[in-house]
């Protein structure tokens, strides 16, 4: 985080309480700023497929959560975003344990943002790369040009 970035508490405080999938998956934000979001989750039996390795959908959801949070640093007050496209490359199987992610912006526009999230397994090796496009939805009561 740089001096120009708001502190993590300022970025997360206005968000609703963590519920739904981020809470269920125990996704924890480690650091947050306009140029990088880092997080982790402790992958356990909730995240595994029938073969005992991390389910690809769990990795994709983790990447989506980090990129979506990062997008919030670049939108006007009251606006929100939604993922309109997401692509994941899987590089290797991932065992249960601490999974870490780092998300960075590739494009920041007024109406669209593109974030890329690298996800690392418990052994520190990159297991997946998630690239997502976020559409900016204006605040209610405002008119989009």
């Amino acid at each position: 985080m740089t001096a120009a970035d708001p502190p993590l508490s300022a970025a997360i405080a206005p968000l609703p309480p963590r519920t739904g999938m981020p809470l269920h998956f125990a996704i924890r934000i480690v650091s947050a700023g306009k140029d990088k979001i880092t997080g982790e989750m402790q992958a356990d039996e909730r995240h595994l497929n029938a073969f005992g390795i991390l389910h690809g959908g769990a990795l994709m959801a983790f990447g989506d959560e980090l990129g979506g949070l990062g997008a919030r640093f670049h939108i006007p007050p009251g606006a929100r975003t939604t993922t309109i496209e997401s692509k994941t490359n899987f590089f290797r199987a991932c065992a249960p344990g601490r999974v870490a992610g780092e998300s960075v912006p590739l494009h920041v526009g007024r109406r669209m943002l593109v974030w890329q999230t690298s996800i690392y397994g418990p052994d520190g090796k990159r297991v997946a790369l998630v690239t997502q496009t976020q559409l900016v939805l204006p605040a209610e009561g405002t008119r989009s040009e």
Side-chain angles (χ1 to χ4, degrees):
M1 211 177 321
T2 66
D5 291 334
L8 180 59
S9 59
I12 296 178
L15 301 179
R18 298 191 54 83
T19 60
M21 191 164 320
L23 180 64
H24 176 71
F25 277 30
I27 296 172
R28 185 175 82 82
I29 303 303
V30 175
S31 67
K34 66 179 184 157
D35 295 322
K36 183 167 64 171
I37 304 293
T38 60
E40 62 187 24
M41 69 177 184
Q42 188 63 35
D44 57 31
E45 66 279 348
R46 295 172 294 173
H47 306 93
L48 304 181
N49 67 18
F51 300 105
I53 58 174
L54 229 62
H55 191 287
L59 293 168
M60 294 170 75
F62 180 45
D64 186 66
E65 178 66 15
L66 296 183
L69 177 62
R72 292 178 184 270
F73 281 90
H74 298 278
I75 61 175
R80 58 192 173 94
T81 67
T82 188
T83 304
I84 60 170
E85 188 271 340
S86 184
K87 178 195 183 309
T88 304
N89 290 98
F90 300 101
F91 302 116
R92 59 179 40 88
C94 184
R98 182 184 161 277
V99 177
E102 179 179 285
S103 191
V104 296
L106 298 180
H107 170 76
V108 176
R110 288 183 310 130
R111 296 188 185 169
M112 247 183 253
L113 302 106
V114 179
W115 282 74
Q116 187 172 62
T117 305
S118 293
I119 301 175
Y120 303 91
D123 61 1
K125 293 181 179 178
R126 186 163 56 182
V127 297
L129 185 68
V130 179
T131 305
Q132 64 179 268
T133 303
Q134 296 277 329
L135 177 66
V136 177
L137 302 172
E140 286 192 31
T142 63
R143 185 170 169 224
S144 178
E145 296 180 293

